[in-house]
Amino acid sequence: MQYEEIRRQVLGAIREAQARGLIHGTSGNIAVRQPGGDVVAITPSGRPYDTMQPEDIAIVTLSGEWIDGPYRPSSETPMHTAVYRARPDVGATVHTHALYSTVMAMGLDELPPSTPPQAEFAPMRVIPFAVPGSQKLADYVTGALGADGLAVLLRNHGNFCCGRDIGAAMTAAVYVEEAAQVAYHAALLGQFHPLAAEDVQACKDMLAAGRAV
Ligand SMILES: [Zn+2]
């Protein structure tokens, strides 16, 4: 099997995202870039993840051309490949329709972090709705991520996270959903007090220096 390692990483990440309750059924999609290469492995479209095998994972070029695998790549491939083209530092991308991210994306322009580990993924900007698979959505995602962003929330849709590798991208997906979950519950109690901007920056500085927060 060609591209076996990145196919296995995609499938392993799907299993983890399922176990964490971040994706259900066939929703959400995950991609991993071939190190040093110009192709990505990405979940196929509309296939049940429960019975998926590594060889079922699609391989596409960075322009989104389907070059290997028995099933058509995810219909949401354009936003993933747009990020890989724009950001050479990105090695993996995770898109989910996670519940709290979806809820909080309806009422905010940006999701502020509430705890130090969440600060790494700020700013978590909310982008307007655009049809899945559209160039407009790809443009919104790459625009909101900018040169070094790690996460965006998609209004009426979910979230999109990236990282240097699949572990980092999955960590982002977990903490973004956690940030949304904390914000939701705190707002419900009428006591939503996210981290102050200077504390977010201080935490980011510590993380950048390799220290735990
Ligand atoms: Zn989606």
Side-chain angles (χ1 to χ4, degrees):
M1 186 195 335
Q2 269 194 305
Y3 308 113
E4 181 168 354
E5 176 57 27
I6 55 173
R7 283 177 146 141
R8 288 193 182 282
Q9 286 185 16
V10 169
L11 189 59
I14 284 290
R15 300 269 186 262
E16 180 177 349
Q18 280 183 313
R20 290 179 178 277
L22 297 174
I23 63 169
H24 307 280
T26 63
S27 87
N29 29 81
I30 293 177
V32 175
R33 189 202 297 258
Q34 173 83 348
D38 53 4
V39 301
V40 297
I42 188 163
T43 40
S45 179
R47 304 293 307 174
Y49 291 140
D50 292 336
T51 54
M52 194 167 285
Q53 299 299 313
E55 56 268 28
D56 297 336
I57 305 295
I59 303 292
V60 299
T61 66
L62 294 196
S63 55
E65 188 193 356
W66 176 26
I67 57 168
D68 197 27
Y71 304 114
R72 183 170 293 281
S74 166
S75 59
E76 302 195 86
T77 295
M79 75 177 160
H80 290 267
T81 51
V83 170
Y84 290 105
R85 289 196 303 273
R87 291 276 301 275
D89 61 306
V90 167
T93 47
V94 175
H95 162 58
T96 81
H97 303 163
L99 176 64
Y100 290 97
S101 295
T102 306
V103 170
M104 296 309 292
M106 288 186 199
L108 297 172
D109 292 325
E110 186 174 325
L111 174 65
S114 295
T115 68
Q118 294 166 12
E120 180 176 359
F121 307 102
M124 297 176 269
R125 298 190 179 97
V126 179
I127 57 172
F129 181 79
V131 174
S134 66
Q135 184 59 44
K136 195 172 185 181
L137 179 56
D139 291 344
Y140 282 153
V141 170
T142 52
L145 285 175
D148 56 5
L150 298 174
V152 292
L153 277 70
L154 286 54
R155 186 158 287 151
N156 297 97
H157 192 166
N159 60 34
F160 184 97
C161 300
C162 60
R164 64 187 177 281
D165 56 27
I166 188 60
M170 183 61 68
T171 298
V174 169
Y175 277 115
V176 169
E177 177 64 357
E178 182 195 274
Q181 198 166 357
V182 171
Y184 170 88
H185 286 99
L188 210 58
L189 294 174
Q191 53 191 32
F192 181 30
H193 304 297
L195 286 174
E198 63 265 32
D199 293 328
V200 172
Q201 191 55 52
C203 291
K204 287 172 80 78
D205 291 346
M206 284 182 66
L207 287 159
R211 296 167 64 190
V213 293

